[in-house]
Every structure is written in structure tokens, then in C-alpha cells.
Amino acid sequence: MRSLINILDLSTGEIDELIAVAEDIIADPAKYSEACRGKKLATLFFEPSTRTRLSFEAAMYELGGNVLSVSSGASSSAAKGESVADTAKTVSCYADIIAMRHPKEGAPYVASVNASIPVINAGDGGHNHPTQTLADLLTIHREKGRFENLTVGLCGDLKFGRTVHSLIEAMSRYEGVRFVLISPEELKVPSYVKKDVLARNGIPYVQTEDMESVMPELDILYMTRVQRERFFNEEDYLRLKDSYILTPKKLQNARTDLSIMHPLPRVNEISVAIDDDPRACYFKQVLNGKYMRMALILKLLKEAGR
Ligand code: NCD
């Protein structure tokens, strides 16, 4: 059974196909409005979410399908001690496809090997978030018209930020991509990402704490929130939370065609004064995420023969 656990489960060719389908949905949504009639998506969210869960649900409704939803661990049998494996087997009896978010790294993978329907990882702990990456990739494609030859700045919590890890994996497959990793010492990209993804593929990168000095080089600036829920103590969070706040002044030396991205939710990392800057793409990412999730649901249901 084909699932989506890691962004590398999709080839670059398949990503191109998903983008083409998403563009077709954008151009002619009516054509897809009955595509999933009678099908059910189960959204199993054991961690807070606004965008990802609602975007999966909106995606399924716009395909004419239905949604079954668990919106917190506390309201499900997980609170009684049910295993992820048993939950996956159970939900396979009710639904055609699952989107799962879980605080434990690897939980959606465990679900996928126990379910008899496709499972989509909607975020597992500080590990991966492949469907946010699909949203990011459609945004980059629409803004830049290419994935190759881009300098991608990633800023903020690069240690716990799962969207960062998945985006690095995805972008590492394109020619001429270079990363500028901007974070405090304590929140650097984990060494497994540097070793297994960047070094293994010979991808050039620099690490810095200083956002302004690298600003002129960037084609993309991907800001992230400091992931409070993954910290072991509140003191460290409070010390690090406002490490980077993007303001109009800090953009003075930025390229005129910079794309400013953020997976959201934003806390303080981007001043609201930037929202009207034509380079701000973060609300476009939200919309693009819905279209890519529609394309993904269609693909996985088709491959599962459902
Ligand atoms: C991200 C996540 O859940 O990892 N949010 C999202 O799904 N768009 C980023 C975050 O929570 O900071």
C-alpha cells in the first residue's frame, strides 16, 4: 500500500505530476468536484493544528468526498492507551485514506505498516512534514518557475522544525541548490540531516547566526517558529524565541525578487508590516497546500484502487 511518510517517497517526476494536477485543479476546480464522491478521509491529529487538518479536510470536501476527524489525542482511544497500530487497523475499517499527525517521530510510519489504506504523514514530532513541503514546492514553482539554481535561506528553529528537514530533503535533489542555514547555535540543523542529506549529496551550505549579512544572497527566505512544544525547559525557549524577527529594515539589502516563506503559525518571526510586501508568500503557501493535498489524495486513492 502506497503511503506518504517522507517527501523522498515521491520521485521528482511524481512531484512534477502532483504540481501539474494542482495547477489543473486551480484552473478548473469544477472538473474535480465529484472526483472522490463516496470516499472518506480520516484525519487523526494527536497534536494541535489549524492549517494542516483544515486544509486536508477542505481538500477532501472540494473533491466531493467526506471526512472523519479526530482532532486531539485526549478525545480518542489513544487516551485509554490504544496503540498507533491498533488505531490504524481500526480506522482502515471506516475510511479510504488517513492523514495522521503525531508527537512521536515515526508514528505515521507505524500506522502505514498496519493500515490497509494509504497513510499520509501530516507531521511527526520534530522529524518530517512532507505535505507542508508539497505546499512549499508548489509555492517555489509558482514564484520562481524552477527548483534549480536557487539559494535557499532557512531561518529560526532548524533543529526541531520538521518542515525545514523535509524541505531540505526535497530541495537537495535539484541541481545548483545551495542552503544558507541561519539559526542560534542551539537550534542548528541536526547532524543526521547534515550528514545523510547535505554531505551525502554534496550540497553546498553555510551556517550562520547573522541573518542580515547573508540577506543579499537569498532567492528564498524560509522563516520558522521556535518550536516551544519540543523544548525540554521553558527558560531555553524564552531565551531563544525572539532570536530572529524579520522587519522591513532587515529586508533593505534583500533581492527585489526574494520570496519570503513561512509554514505558519507565525508567532513573532515576521513583522506584520511585511504582509503587504509583494515578496511575502506565506498566505499563498496556505492555499497552495490545499491544492497539493487534493492532488496527493487523488494520486494515493487511485494507486490503492479505491
Ligand atoms: C508547521 C508544523 O506543524 O510543523 N505548521 C504547519 O503544519 N504549517 C510549522 C510549525 O508548527 O511551526
Side-chain angles (χ1 to χ4, degrees):
M1 183 62 52
R2 185 88 191 269
S3 286
L4 176 65
I5 304 303
N6 182 291
I7 193 66
L8 299 181
D9 295 342
L10 294 167
S11 68
T12 52
E14 286 178 309
I15 285 173
D16 292 343
E17 282 163 25
L18 289 172
I19 288 176
V21 173
E23 290 288 4
D24 199 48
I25 296 170
I26 294 167
D28 188 3
K31 192 166 122 192
Y32 294 86
S33 64
E34 298 290 324
C36 289
R37 180 63 65 209
K39 301 286 176 272
K40 282 170 280 176
L41 162 76
T43 51
L44 308 181
F45 276 59
F46 300 98
E47 249 194 3
S49 168
T50 304
R51 259 154 304 277
T52 306
R53 186 166 65 84
L54 295 188
S55 133
F56 268 111
E57 296 182 358
M60 195 55 170
Y61 284 123
E62 289 187 26
L63 292 167
N66 295 302
V67 170
L68 308 171
S69 185
V70 168
S71 59
S72 81
S75 68
S76 75
S77 282
K80 300 180 187 171
E82 185 171 55
S83 68
V84 167
D86 285 2
T87 302
K89 285 180 185 156
T90 301
V91 176
S92 297
C93 302
Y94 305 139
D96 297 283
I97 186 164
I98 292 172
M100 176 184 274
R101 168 170 292 188
H102 203 284
K104 284 211 181 102
E105 285 82 2
Y109 170 74
V110 171
S112 74
V113 294
N114 285 281
S116 54
I117 57 177
V119 175
I120 301 171
N121 178 4
D124 62 327
H127 192 213
N128 283 159
H129 193 347
T131 65
Q132 179 63 45
T133 303
L134 292 177
D136 301 340
L137 292 174
L138 177 57
T139 306
I140 294 170
H141 196 262
R142 297 198 111 199
E143 296 301 313
K144 298 282 177 244
R146 65 179 198 279
F147 294 126
E148 293 78 18
N149 302 317
L150 291 170
T151 296
V152 182
L154 297 153
C155 177
D157 188 345
L158 309 187
K159 179 179 182 190
F160 296 117
R162 55 194 172 193
T163 66
V164 167
H165 308 153
S166 292
L167 185 59
I168 290 177
E169 288 193 303
M171 291 300 289
S172 290
R173 293 192 290 187
Y174 300 102
E175 285 290 312
V177 168
R178 180 177 164 259
F179 293 100
V180 179
L181 306 173
I182 311 157
S183 74
E185 181 63 30
E186 292 99 320
L187 299 179
K188 280 179 164 172
V189 169
S191 53
Y192 81 88
V193 175
K194 277 183 254 181
K195 190 162 142 272
D196 299 345
V197 185
L198 296 172
R200 179 168 298 169
N201 295 300
I203 310 294
Y205 69 94
V206 291
Q207 299 187 100
T208 177
E209 295 195 24
D210 181 10
M211 180 206 268
E212 278 164 276
S213 68
V214 294
M215 192 65 86
E217 306 168 29
L218 307 179
D219 296 300
I220 293 167
L221 174 57
Y222 192 97
M223 298 294 296
T224 61
R225 167 181 76 89
V226 175
Q227 308 277 300
R228 178 180 208 160
E229 64 276 35
R230 317 237 182 265
F231 274 70
F232 294 110
N233 75 67
E234 183 74 359
E235 245 168 61
D236 286 347
Y237 169 72
L238 294 173
R239 184 168 49 81
L240 294 167
K241 73 183 174 76
D242 291 327
S243 299
Y244 300 98
I245 301 178
L246 189 62
T247 57
K249 189 164 170 277
K250 292 193 183 139
L251 284 175
Q252 264 167 8
N253 294 323
R255 297 174 58 129
T256 51
D257 63 351
L258 174 71
S259 299
I260 305 166
M261 299 175 66
H262 191 308
L264 304 179
R266 152 175 63 185
V267 184
N268 282 329
E269 314 78 52
I270 303 182
S271 148
V272 291
I274 289 176
D275 294 2
D276 294 329
D277 188 307
R279 293 170 288 187
C281 298
Y282 25 98
F283 290 107
K284 292 185 193 168
Q285 277 169 271
V286 176
L287 193 55
N288 290 337
K290 182 183 72 178
Y291 294 122
M292 286 303 266
R293 289 180 177 109
M294 289 173 80
L296 178 67
I297 290 169
L298 284 172
K299 176 181 171 66
L300 293 180
L301 284 178
K302 186 165 168 222
E303 288 188 19
R306 296 184 86 98

